[in-house]
Amino acid sequence: MNVGRQQRALDAHHDDPGDRPVMRARFEHNGSPRYMLYTMKRLGLDHEHGFHLDVQLVSDELEGGMETVEARLQDGEADLIDIDYISTARERAEGANIVAFHPYGRTVGGLVAPEDTAIEGLADLSDHRIGVVRRLDKNWILVRAACRQYHGFDPDETATPVEAGSKVGLTEMLHDGEVDAVLQFWPIVPEITERGPYEEVFPVSDIVQRLAETDNRVPVSTFLTSDSFLDAHTDTARRFAAAYGDVVDRLIAEDALWDEIGEKLMSYDDPEIVAAVREGWRAMVVRGWNDETIDGMEQLFEHLRSVAGADALGVDRIPEGTFRPVDPL
């Protein structure tokens, strides 16, 4: 969908911040947090909780090896982004001033292939061209770990990963037949499969839960800010956490909100696709976390490191201070 059209939909609810503290949110134009951000602004939940959320949508391409939103945060141009916690640990280990203060969800994807594919599961990936956004993408790391753990091979060696550089480029590679399958992010999977002729071979969220060895929902992506912002504006981060909890409750309970989201933020006018995205979001989102949740995230990281290796993750540990949970205010 056109980035400008989505931004205008958000801007329609960018009222005057007044004397409220401002939190600058920078999120990918095709990422699932935009559904929550639009609804938060649409319902005025940021102002209701005593802060002003300034939302801008940006490209999902890479800048200097980092996702655009991550570059914005590290350059001091943003106060709020979301990325997976493996990337957070990797960048923090290299000295980045970033910290995860609240969970978002199991923002992984699925393996999508043509309907006549010979790939039926993880065990069939060898000797195929697999499209990925980048080789350090969390979906590819999780798939590598699961293949090594359960099937005794590493698809980074036995298959051919092909980097697209963006989610849009990934879909284009699939349509153009440049790859046999792609590891696409979950909000885009319904758009591809509902229109066909493609199918989701498996969801990566199943791999997350299998490797984590828990029935509890383990968040992979978290909301980030800088250490300096969190130190200086702890209450603003807490106000965001409270507004987030409210908007999650509304999006879980109210289908009508998703009809508007489909109209304003999605590139298709298909109730079945909107419904599939809605149910996928509800299954993905994590409303809150506690010490047990974080222990599970650390356990998953250690499992990935032991199976796939520090080189695959790009980091050998979760640095101290990576997780700084805040309580909703």
Side-chain angles (χ1 to χ4, degrees):
M1 183 177 187
N2 181 274
V3 181
R5 181 183 168 193
Q6 294 189 80
Q7 186 64 57
R8 287 192 295 273
L10 283 161
D11 288 346
H13 306 291
H14 275 199
D15 41 2
D16 187 346
D19 59 358
R20 301 175 183 88
V22 176
M23 196 175 209
R24 299 168 299 165
R26 304 295 180 259
F27 285 79
E28 292 180 356
H29 70 94
N30 53 8
S32 65
R34 73 190 193 277
Y35 308 144
M36 178 275 299
L37 295 164
Y38 172 81
T39 307
M40 185 181 291
K41 296 299 296 184
R42 167 73 173 78
L43 300 176
L45 292 173
D46 56 340
H47 286 199
E48 183 176 314
H49 285 277
F51 77 105
H52 179 80
L53 193 66
D54 172 54
V55 184
Q56 288 186 19
L57 301 179
V58 299
S59 166
D60 69 335
E61 296 180 355
L62 303 180
E63 292 185 9
M66 294 185 292
E67 296 178 29
T68 304
V69 292
E70 189 178 349
R72 294 288 184 273
L73 179 60
Q74 294 201 35
D75 290 344
E77 299 175 12
D79 309 313
L80 178 69
I81 67 167
D82 85 301
I83 58 172
D84 66 272
Y85 73 94
I86 296 171
S87 296
T88 304
R90 181 166 59 242
E91 297 301 331
R92 189 173 176 89
E94 295 178 358
N97 173 33
I98 59 176
V99 59
F101 72 94
H102 201 71
Y104 175 46
R106 298 185 300 183
T107 50
V108 287
L111 186 77
V112 179
E115 290 179 348
D116 60 354
T117 182
I119 304 173
E120 297 183 357
L122 287 168
D124 303 319
L125 294 182
S126 294
D127 302 319
H128 290 285
R129 299 163 299 163
I130 309 299
V132 296
V133 171
R134 56 175 176 165
R135 289 173 74 169
L136 284 178
D137 170 60
K138 56 183 176 286
N139 288 296
W140 185 237
I141 293 171
L142 287 160
V143 165
R144 289 186 61 193
C147 286
R148 289 172 60 118
Q149 176 72 9
Y150 304 118
H151 301 290
F153 71 91
D154 186 343
D156 205 59
E157 300 171 354
T158 63
T160 303
V162 182
E163 294 184 310
S166 71
K167 301 180 185 73
V168 173
L170 199 57
T171 298
E172 290 174 350
M173 285 202 312
L174 180 66
H175 288 323
D176 292 343
E178 298 177 23
V179 291
D180 301 309
V182 298
L183 277 166
Q184 186 56 278
F185 285 74
W186 76 265
I188 305 174
V189 171
E191 180 180 358
I192 300 173
T193 57
E194 290 291 337
R195 291 179 173 179
Y198 302 98
E199 65 180 56
E200 183 178 26
V201 179
F202 59 79
V204 179
S205 58
D206 286 353
I207 294 174
V208 170
Q209 296 303 138
R210 191 176 179 189
L211 289 172
E213 299 178 353
T214 177
D215 292 331
N216 294 332
R217 196 175 289 188
V218 176
V220 173
S221 183
T222 65
F223 292 111
L224 271 67
T225 189
S226 63
D227 287 287
S228 54
F229 183 90
L230 190 56
D231 288 339
H233 306 284
T234 305
D235 280 355
T236 304
R238 295 178 64 196
R239 293 177 193 279
F240 169 80
Y244 170 78
D246 285 353
V247 78
V248 168
D249 289 345
R250 297 286 294 270
L251 286 172
I252 288 175
E254 300 178 28
D255 289 355
L257 288 173
W258 287 96
D259 294 336
E260 183 174 336
I261 287 170
E263 177 187 352
K264 300 291 186 181
L265 300 181
M266 297 184 187
S267 58
Y268 29 76
D269 184 19
D270 187 328
E272 291 186 1
I273 295 178
V274 173
V277 172
R278 180 191 70 213
E279 295 309 310
W281 190 91
R282 289 171 173 172
M284 173 280 303
V285 74
V286 176
R287 191 182 187 283
W289 59 0
N290 54 28
D291 290 343
E292 182 179 345
T293 309
I294 293 174
D295 287 345
M297 296 167 72
E298 292 175 342
Q299 176 179 318
L300 177 60
F301 179 90
E302 290 302 319
H303 193 80
L304 291 175
R305 184 179 61 82
S306 66
V307 173
D311 288 344
L313 298 179
V315 64
D316 63 358
R317 71 193 188 286
I318 297 179
E320 183 177 355
T322 297
F323 303 124
R324 290 179 57 186
V326 301
D327 294 325
L329 183 63

